[in-house]
Amino acid sequence: MNTDPTISVIMPLYNVGRYVAQAIDSVLGQTIGLEGIEIILVNDGSTDDTEVICKSYTERYPDNIYYYNQTNQGVSAARNAGLKVARGRYINFLDADDMWAKDAFKKAVALLDIDQTIDLVAAKVKFFDRSIDEHPLNYKFTADRVIDVNDEPDSPIMHLISCVVRREALAHRTFDTRLAIAEDSKLLNEILVDKKRYGALASTHYNYRKRSNNSSAIDGGQQRKDYYLKTPVLAYEAIANQWMVDGQLHPYMQYVLLYDFSYRISGAPYQLLSDAEEKAYAQTMLGLLKRISPERIKTSRWYSESQKAYLLSAREKPMITHFGFIDHVTKGAIVKHPLLNILCNWRFKKSLEQCHKLRRYNLSQLSVRGRLLEYAKPWLIIGEAVLDIPRALLLRMASAIDRHTKSRELWLVSDRVMAAGDNGEALFRYIQTQQPEAKVYFALSKKSADYTRLQQIGPTINYGSWKYLVTFLLADKIISSHADIETTNPFLRNLDHYQDLIHHDFVFLQHGVISNDLSGWLNKKDKQIKLFITSSKVEHDAIVHNPAYGYAAAEVPTTGLARWDLLENGPQNKIVIAPTFRASLLKTPTNKNGVRAYDPSFKQSDYFQFYDRLMHDERLAKALADSKMTGEFYLHPNFAQQASDFQASDQISIADFPYNYQQAISTGNLLVSDYSSVTYDFAYLYKPVIYAQFDEQQFYQGHSYTKGHFFSYQKDGFGPVCSDYESTVEAIIKAVQGGCKLSPVYRKRIDDYFTHHDRHNCQRIYEAILGMSKL
């Protein structure tokens, strides 16, 4: 570079050959542009292929990437070395196994450029790889804004890696090389003490990798003595001394300490510390605790009421010998006998996990009854498991007997618990025309209206029955269009009673095409999908190239969806209105059959009011009548319990659940949807689609997935995209008056999208399943 860069990204490296390329690529792909970026790679004595990978990048980007090598001195020394040579106006310290969202630097620099009262900008943190989750401190990211900690002390930031810092703020500061844990928290809060203001970006994020092998820093820190003996003294005592105001610890720093304490309150690992070390650690923690006001403890959001009581009590004592709830009496051997595991370990472990969760809850806003329920949950968990023990023992014995007589593979195929008619049924129909070596059942609740019909197709088994549960334990393959808990875990919270018996491969047929990022739900770690069926090469690439999903290319075959083989095209002068659901409106839990209770507040939602208004729009009714057309409204199955909220009009009727989507797609001339994958089925038949996306921002904020980058409704969609009510009505009327014809522009998009446009999708899926042993 001829001029100094806008931002210098300093990356310490130690045996990160497996991850570093992704980290570097996330910087090179920033929307701020390469001309504004400098990457400084500091190899801290790696012994793997880190150096080879880094040098390949320096050769390709000699003006942007600089590589330095040093003997192993630790992460702090590596960052300090990079800081000495950094030339950017702003600095970021990126961990080499993490990644930035592509627009992060552009937004951070923009905020720093316009506001000189801040020295750093922080982005919210999202976990990926082993765990897909939000960081517990993300609550403060309500908008892109500046936070003054004098006004909002309960807004701690702990990770410098997710911040972009003004270089002047680092002029006389470095990382403490004595620290291997919390070194970034210390430097971060030393910077923040100057102005006590920082920028917060809610519209972008930092991707923190929680490694699948549990080797992330966040995982291993508590198993090191330094976490207990050095960090509280060298990090938190040191920065607390800088945050004193009129002889008192600043409220912000009190919350910083309370957040760190929330990870320590369960007690130190006694096998790690000697008695003297444990006592020294406890006294250090007591000294810090005394600097926190009782009011801050009482209002902290990270503790249960009993934990708050413990801290308040400990705070008043002159001396404590250990810090936390766990006493030495817990040092016992874990029972390993299988039967005693059922009786003792499995559910007690879950109960302890529930107690651990309580420390994050702020129950002060709950009623007395609500608080009692939260405290009772650990005991209810144990009680539920105890009641399940007789069934568990009988099921285990039954499965053991059947396993000895089992002569061939068992496959369980399904759609929803209460409905068939999707990709599962389509594949099941095809399998019945073959001669499979496996015994194949279709799983469906006997209460479903589809049950008798499926029995006429092939062997059908009642979901939740004794036979089903035994078959599930013996199954070699679970094949379904849905990946909800009812499909993957019929035992729900008592899965631990049976976990060691379950060895099936999960084949995910998909309910529909994925247009957005569903990695937070359908990632390999959480769903353990062995074969992930996709509709096209576009969808295949979007999943395989997204590391948050975690699938290899061979695990994601491009076959087309099974139900497309059954699609017929027989339009009957009808428009089909079929929106998807809104996760934010699913306020009631599902029962064991996957059915939710009625929610009276649903009628107050924008979602209800939009479609209720659409069904009764006089302009639309007239256009339909003039064209001798009718309409049919398909409320998403997740909202089936709300069907009574909607009233049919003269021109638009309401479909009865369970739906026959194949018939709806066949008989429809025009589809009105929003983000639903049913639009692909319609387009597969070369029929027009209208996207009613009146609530795009709210939809992506509250839904189970994030907006994808591989499919743009505006650029790649199969019809016009409407952003409000009026434009939606106008588009529908225009289409109806024009005879519901597909324009050449959208026909070409359809041809470009679908890899296979035939009736051999089931065959390809079946062959992929048979070939799974080769994966």
Side-chain angles (χ1 to χ4, degrees):
M1 291 183 181
N2 296 323
T3 59
D4 288 345
T6 302
I7 184 168
S8 295
V9 182
I10 299 169
M11 295 175 59
L13 315 171
Y14 182 72
N15 290 345
V16 287
R18 182 178 177 183
Y19 312 108
V20 67
Q22 292 179 339
I24 296 173
D25 288 343
S26 79
V27 176
L28 295 175
Q30 289 292 307
T31 56
I32 197 173
L34 276 177
E35 64 276 8
I37 292 175
E38 172 187 72
I39 303 177
I40 301 170
L41 305 174
V42 184
N43 189 355
D44 190 42
S46 297
T47 57
D48 63 354
D49 59 349
T50 295
E51 182 170 72
V52 174
I53 296 170
C54 290
K55 286 186 174 180
S56 71
Y57 274 91
T58 58
E59 291 172 1
R60 282 181 285 165
Y61 301 94
D63 295 329
N64 299 92
I65 302 179
Y66 306 90
Y67 176 76
Y68 300 88
N69 204 351
Q70 66 179 32
T71 57
N72 182 255
Q73 300 173 51
V75 64
S76 293
R79 287 173 176 157
N80 289 340
L83 189 56
K84 288 180 181 178
V85 296
R87 297 177 295 120
R89 295 203 317 272
Y90 305 115
I91 308 293
N92 168 247
F93 301 93
L94 172 63
D95 278 355
D97 55 351
D98 296 343
M99 295 185 292
W100 274 106
K102 62 167 56 176
D103 59 353
F105 288 169
K106 185 174 183 179
K107 292 182 176 180
V109 167
L111 186 53
L112 284 163
D113 278 347
I114 64 173
D115 195 330
Q116 297 299 313
T117 69
I118 58 175
D119 285 331
L120 61 92
V121 170
K124 62 183 176 182
V125 177
K126 291 185 176 182
F127 298 133
F128 74 107
D129 197 344
R130 188 186 85 245
S131 174
I132 306 297
D133 202 358
E134 294 271 346
H135 193 281
L137 291 179
N138 279 359
Y139 60 84
K140 59 183 173 288
F141 293 97
T142 56
D144 289 0
R145 64 194 184 105
V146 172
I147 295 176
D148 188 327
V149 300
N150 292 309
D151 300 324
E152 297 181 52
D154 188 13
S155 297
I157 47 176
M158 306 294 288
H159 304 291
L160 193 58
I161 54 176
S162 60
C163 299
V164 175
V165 185
R166 203 180 300 277
R167 189 170 66 173
E168 290 88 338
L170 291 162
H172 304 291
R173 294 185 171 108
T174 58
F175 290 90
D176 189 340
T177 56
R178 298 171 298 173
L179 287 169
I181 302 168
E183 75 288 342
D184 57 337
S185 294
K186 180 182 181 182
L187 182 57
L188 169 60
N189 285 289
E190 286 175 344
I191 296 169
L192 188 57
V193 74
D194 287 345
K195 297 179 178 177
K196 297 182 176 61
R197 291 164 58 86
Y198 67 92
L201 296 177
S203 61
T204 190
H205 63 277
Y206 180 93
N207 294 296
Y208 185 100
R209 185 189 300 270
K210 299 189 79 171
R211 298 184 189 176
S212 55
N213 61 3
N214 295 311
S215 63
S216 303
I218 201 171
D219 296 313
Q222 293 184 348
Q223 298 305 313
R224 301 172 61 176
K225 280 192 175 185
D226 284 357
Y227 178 78
Y228 304 98
L229 303 180
K230 282 190 176 182
T231 300
V233 177
L234 298 180
Y236 294 117
E237 280 189 353
I239 55 177
N241 291 336
Q242 299 180 41
W243 279 82
M244 299 299 292
V245 179
D246 297 328
Q248 302 294 321
L249 186 61
H250 192 287
Y252 167 80
M253 185 50 56
Q254 294 185 41
Y255 282 115
V256 168
L257 294 179
L258 280 169
Y259 177 74
D260 182 73
F261 282 15
S262 70
Y263 288 91
R264 298 171 179 270
I265 198 169
S266 59
Y270 300 113
Q271 72 277 12
L272 189 65
L273 303 181
S274 68
D275 290 342
E277 289 170 336
E278 184 185 331
K279 183 177 180 180
Y281 167 66
Q283 285 304 110
T284 300
M285 296 303 293
L286 177 60
L288 291 169
L289 182 58
K290 288 181 179 293
R291 302 172 79 168
I292 302 173
S293 72
E295 290 71 29
R296 305 294 173 196
I297 296 173
K298 292 176 183 177
T299 58
S300 174
R301 66 177 73 227
W302 303 299
Y303 301 89
S304 69
E305 293 302 316
S306 57
Q307 289 172 324
K308 291 177 184 178
Y310 167 79
L311 292 176
L312 290 168
S313 174
R315 185 180 180 278
E316 301 305 316
K317 296 179 179 179
M319 179 179 291
I320 56 177
T321 57
H322 68 275
F323 179 79
F325 281 119
I326 299 178
D327 204 275
H328 293 277
V329 295
T330 61
K331 297 179 182 178
I334 297 176
V335 179
K336 295 186 177 181
H337 190 280
L339 179 59
L340 292 181
N341 264 330
I342 294 177
L343 296 172
C344 300
N345 285 346
W346 283 347
R347 198 45 44 168
F348 288 140
K349 178 182 177 183
K350 293 295 181 184
S351 180
L352 288 174
E353 289 176 357
Q354 182 65 30
C355 290
H356 182 70
K357 289 179 181 179
L358 280 174
R359 71 181 175 81
R360 295 184 181 274
Y361 298 165
N362 182 359
L363 307 181
S364 60
Q365 303 302 316
L366 293 181
S367 63
V368 174
R369 181 176 178 274
R371 294 183 191 181
L372 290 175
L373 179 60
E374 290 297 326
Y375 296 138
K377 279 183 179 179
W379 300 103
L380 294 175
I381 290 172
I382 294 175
E384 178 186 47
V386 170
L387 291 175
D388 188 65
I389 286 173
R391 182 183 75 152
L393 294 176
L394 290 173
L395 280 173
R396 290 177 70 88
M397 287 189 291
S399 64
I401 294 171
D402 287 354
R403 197 176 299 276
H404 285 295
T405 60
K406 179 181 172 184
S407 58
R408 52 178 174 161
E409 282 198 352
L410 283 176
W411 295 5
L412 274 175
V413 185
S414 67
D415 285 319
R416 293 182 181 273
V417 172
M418 293 298 294
D422 205 336
N423 290 311
E425 178 182 334
L427 180 63
F428 185 66
R429 285 177 176 272
Y430 175 82
I431 292 174
Q432 301 312 303
T433 68
Q434 306 301 302
Q435 296 180 338
E437 295 182 1
K439 179 68 173 177
V440 184
Y441 292 97
F442 193 89
L444 182 67
S445 172
K446 206 168 187 177
K447 298 178 182 179
S448 170
D450 292 331
Y451 191 81
T452 302
R453 180 173 62 81
L454 264 294
Q455 282 185 308
Q456 297 172 357
I457 298 172
T460 305
I461 189 169
N462 180 21
Y463 176 89
S465 66
W466 186 270
K467 181 178 179 181
Y468 171 81
L469 294 176
V470 173
T471 305
F472 185 91
L473 293 175
L474 297 174
D476 296 279
K477 291 178 177 62
I478 302 295
I479 305 168
S480 182
S481 60
H482 286 75
D484 297 325
I485 191 170
E486 293 83 8
T487 300
T488 59
N489 173 20
F491 305 106
L492 301 178
R493 289 184 295 270
N494 290 320
L495 177 65
D496 287 346
H497 287 181
Y498 314 92
Q499 188 72 68
D500 59 317
L501 302 180
I502 298 174
H503 304 289
H504 63 251
D505 292 330
F506 180 34
V507 179
F508 182 47
L509 302 176
Q510 288 209 64
H511 168 57
V513 178
I514 296 175
S515 301
N516 295 282
D517 186 355
L518 283 171
S519 61
W521 174 46
L522 294 174
N523 60 85
K524 187 172 183 178
K525 178 213 176 260
D526 288 344
K527 293 301 180 182
Q528 293 295 310
I529 298 171
K530 182 70 173 179
L531 204 66
F532 197 131
I533 300 301
T534 56
S535 62
S536 69
K537 188 177 185 302
V538 175
E539 187 183 27
H540 164 92
D541 291 348
I543 292 170
V544 171
H545 296 159
N546 184 345
Y549 279 105
Y551 298 102
E555 297 172 308
V556 189
T558 301
T559 62
L561 298 189
R563 65 172 181 254
W564 290 347
D565 287 354
L566 305 181
L567 291 178
E568 301 290 345
N569 193 7
Q572 297 179 5
N573 295 326
K574 180 173 66 177
I575 68 170
V576 175
I577 304 172
T580 190
F581 70 101
R582 301 296 188 270
S584 60
L585 297 180
L586 299 178
K587 298 179 181 178
T588 58
T590 58
N591 61 20
K592 64 180 181 180
N593 292 320
V595 178
R596 296 179 185 275
Y598 176 79
D599 176 17
S601 68
F602 178 81
K603 293 184 70 173
Q604 308 303 317
S605 67
D606 292 340
Y607 179 94
F608 168 80
Q609 293 175 17
F610 181 93
Y611 288 105
D612 182 65
R613 181 183 177 190
L614 187 67
M615 291 173 63
H616 296 89
D617 192 290
E618 293 181 357
R619 297 166 295 173
L620 178 56
K622 183 178 185 302
L624 290 172
D626 291 347
S627 301
K628 295 182 173 54
M629 295 186 69
T630 60
E632 196 166 22
F633 179 60
Y634 285 78
L635 183 62
H636 193 276
N638 281 349
F639 290 152
Q641 73 281 0
Q642 306 297 146
S644 61
D645 290 339
F646 294 89
Q647 300 298 319
S649 65
D650 292 339
Q651 293 299 125
I652 301 178
S653 62
I654 300 175
D656 294 326
F657 182 78
Y659 306 135
N660 186 337
Y661 276 111
Q662 277 76 24
Q663 181 179 342
I665 294 166
S666 171
T667 58
N669 295 62
L670 169 70
L671 173 66
V672 180
S673 189
D674 44 13
Y675 315 90
S676 172
S677 62
V678 73
T679 56
Y680 292 90
D681 298 59
F682 223 74
Y684 199 77
L685 296 175
Y686 291 105
K687 296 201 285 189
V689 171
I690 292 173
Y691 298 96
Q693 298 183 351
F694 64 94
D695 61 345
E696 180 181 14
Q697 183 175 359
Q698 296 89 335
F699 177 79
Y700 285 110
Q701 286 179 347
H703 216 69
S704 57
Y705 51 76
T706 55
K707 191 172 184 178
H709 301 290
F710 59 90
F711 184 91
S712 166
Y713 290 100
Q714 286 76 16
K715 296 180 181 179
D716 307 310
F718 311 127
V721 180
C722 305
S723 59
D724 56 34
Y725 180 81
E726 287 301 324
S727 62
T728 301
V729 173
E730 291 173 6
I732 298 173
I733 292 175
K734 181 179 179 180
V736 168
Q737 292 176 342
C740 298
K741 295 180 180 179
L742 182 69
S743 74
V745 172
Y746 298 126
R747 176 177 288 273
K748 183 178 185 305
R749 290 185 184 181
I750 291 171
D751 288 333
D752 290 343
Y753 181 83
F754 292 101
T755 305
H756 305 291
H757 218 137
D758 54 28
R759 291 181 177 270
H760 303 300
N761 300 304
C762 286
Q763 177 184 341
R764 285 186 287 269
I765 294 171
Y766 183 59
E767 290 173 352
I769 294 174
L770 292 178
M772 287 178 68
S773 60
K774 300 177 183 179
L775 291 178

